[in-house]
Structures are given as C-alpha cells and as structure tokens.
Amino acid sequence: MESINSSKNIIIYNTIRRLGLRPNHRGTIFIVKAVQLVRKNPDIIVIKNIYMEIAKNSNTFTPEQIRVAIKYAIDHRNEQKSIQNFKEIFGYEYDEEMFTNKDFLEELARVI
C-alpha cells in the first residue's frame, strides 16, 4: 500500500491542471481523492466502490453526487489543454473516448 504525501498531491493536481481541469472544482477534488484511493489501495478497481469510499469519508455527498461531479469536471475541462498535453502525460495520442469517469481515473492513477 502506497502512502500519499503532499508532494504526490502536488503532482496529481499539476497533472489534472495540465489536462485542462479546474483544480478548485468539486468534481476535480473528488478526482484527486479517487486517485489517492486507487494509489493507496490498488485492490479498489470497481468505480462504484471508489465513489462509495469517497462518500464514506464525506458526510455531505452520496456516491451518485460524486459520480456526477466527476463527470461534470471531466466534461467541462479546457479541451485545448487536454489535447496539447495528453500525449506527454499518458504516452499515447489524444483519445476523446478516454474521458469517461472510469477510464480517466484508471489512466490517471496509472501515470501518477
């Protein structure tokens, strides 16, 4: 199990920002938490389990609200930044289909 320190959080936030997501958006904050969970516990591979785990740590949001917030953050990113930095971050050509909650979280956790 890998621990997440502040320097790793900075890397996560910088990568997300380079992909055109707004770092202070609620959905982006949930993305960071999801990546932290996957990095800490690689056994959590089912996306619904990630939403439920984040919701457990938040008394305010349900798993469905977390899913919707992440989807909104991904859908409303700066697409030009995504296209520009995609290959450098993920190592392959830009793929619009990768910007679904599941694929995005898995790939982001992989490269961080």
Side-chain angles (χ1 to χ4, degrees):
M1 192 185 295
E2 178 183 335
S3 67
I4 301 294
N5 56 30
S6 60
S7 64
K8 188 66 84 172
N9 279 338
I10 291 170
I11 291 169
I12 294 169
Y13 271 105
N14 285 341
T15 303
I16 285 171
R17 189 176 39 71
R18 287 177 51 215
L19 287 168
L21 281 84
R22 287 184 253 139
N24 59 349
H25 186 275
R26 180 183 317 145
T28 304
I29 293 168
F30 290 144
I31 290 169
V32 171
K33 288 180 181 185
V35 170
Q36 290 171 339
L37 279 171
V38 171
R39 296 291 299 186
K40 280 182 174 178
N41 188 359
D43 296 334
I44 300 179
I45 55 171
V46 177
I47 195 79
K48 289 181 184 178
N49 292 347
I50 293 171
Y51 299 149
M52 288 190 303
E53 193 65 33
I54 294 171
K56 265 194 246 177
N57 297 323
S58 164
N59 295 328
T60 312
F61 300 101
T62 66
E64 180 62 18
Q65 289 170 319
I66 292 167
R67 183 194 68 77
V68 169
I70 290 173
K71 175 100 173 96
Y72 184 88
I74 291 171
D75 289 347
H76 292 86
R77 71 191 183 283
N78 179 332
E79 198 166 344
Q80 285 304 93
K81 273 187 165 181
S82 293
I83 294 168
Q84 179 182 356
N85 296 314
F86 189 90
K87 185 172 184 175
E88 182 182 330
I89 292 169
F90 292 113
Y92 52 90
E93 293 299 321
Y94 180 79
D95 181 8
E96 178 66 35
E97 298 298 315
M98 207 277 302
F99 287 96
T100 63
N101 287 16
K102 181 183 183 310
D103 292 340
F104 186 75
L105 292 175
E106 287 175 352
E107 283 298 304
L108 193 58
R110 180 188 64 81
V111 299
I112 299 291

